[in-house]
Amino acid sequence: MMKSYIKNIAVLFAFTLFVTSCSSDDDSKPVEGTFGDVELFFDNGVSGDALTLGNSYTNSNGETLTLERFNYIVSNFVLLKEDGSQFAYPKEDSYFIISEEAGTFTVHLENVPVGDYKKIKFGIGVDQQRYLQGETAQQSFWDLAAINNMTWTWSTGYRFVNFQGTFTATGGDGVSRSFMVHQGSNTATDNYREVTLNLPTTARVRTGEMPNIHLKSDANVILDGDNKIALRQNMNQAGTAASIMGGENLIKIAENTKKMFTVDHVHNGAGTHH
């Protein structure tokens, strides 16, 4: 009698494990027609170090920069699966500002179809298609951009990247001068750029399980990337400040910013992790 009882308990235990295992496996698989959220965290740095406004660093151009502002617009997010299929986030909601001075580092995407995503694509700035829809169509984002120093006038549009502070040049007179680098489109060139990044770990979007994609951005790349841009060669006539807001150097900077971002890691889980 005791043996039969023990045997029944063992069978019941094994069955429970089997059901639990199957349930666990089923829970881990995407369910068609359901949705989840994705969070992206942008971690700003300078050549591998944390970026802190007010701190100084020296680049390979022989210039020491003290950063006072580092803001940029990211937009038009697309998540791609291994088979090449993709989900483009609704365009009217796909514009975000990352601001070091405002402490805004997170992009939250809602109602993303469940699935296993292997790549992410996004834009730097505001594309011409969106801009040409007019001010009324994007009034709320325009207002947000204006508050964050990411606009000129409406006729000249958005600043895509706002990077500024002061600098001194090695071997120069030692005087600290202000600099401004504002990447944006103008009548001559479209300086909107797109970036596609592989994810080191699959981002598993599930209902109630939100992946956090941790990206690193390197501000040093703006002037010291594939294209080397010396601020001392972009001074105003008075020699009191440097600014780059157009021309050939801005096109080179726009190409540099395409390599400003890397994916550090992906955390799959229910909460927010950085």
Side-chain angles (χ1 to χ4, degrees), residues 74-99:
V74 286
S75 60
N76 296 316
F77 283 87
V78 178
L79 294 166
L80 299 94
K81 296 180 180 177
E82 195 164 19
D83 63 4
S85 62
Q86 61 184 41
F87 167 70
Y89 202 66
K91 190 172 185 62
E92 61 273 15
D93 299 320
S94 198
Y95 297 83
F96 305 87
I97 294 171
I98 305 300
S99 170

Side-chain angles (χ1 to χ4, degrees), residues 47 59-63 218 220-234 244 248-250 252-253 255-256:
S47 298
N59 62 25
S60 72
N61 298 324
E63 296 175 337
D218 183 1
N220 183 62
V221 167
I222 294 172
L223 296 171
D224 194 13
D226 291 344
N227 299 304
K228 309 295 182 183
I229 311 295
L231 291 168
R232 61 184 176 274
Q233 295 173 356
N234 289 272
I244 303 172
E248 186 62 31
N249 277 344
L250 190 63
K252 291 178 179 179
I253 285 170
E255 288 303 298
N256 281 350

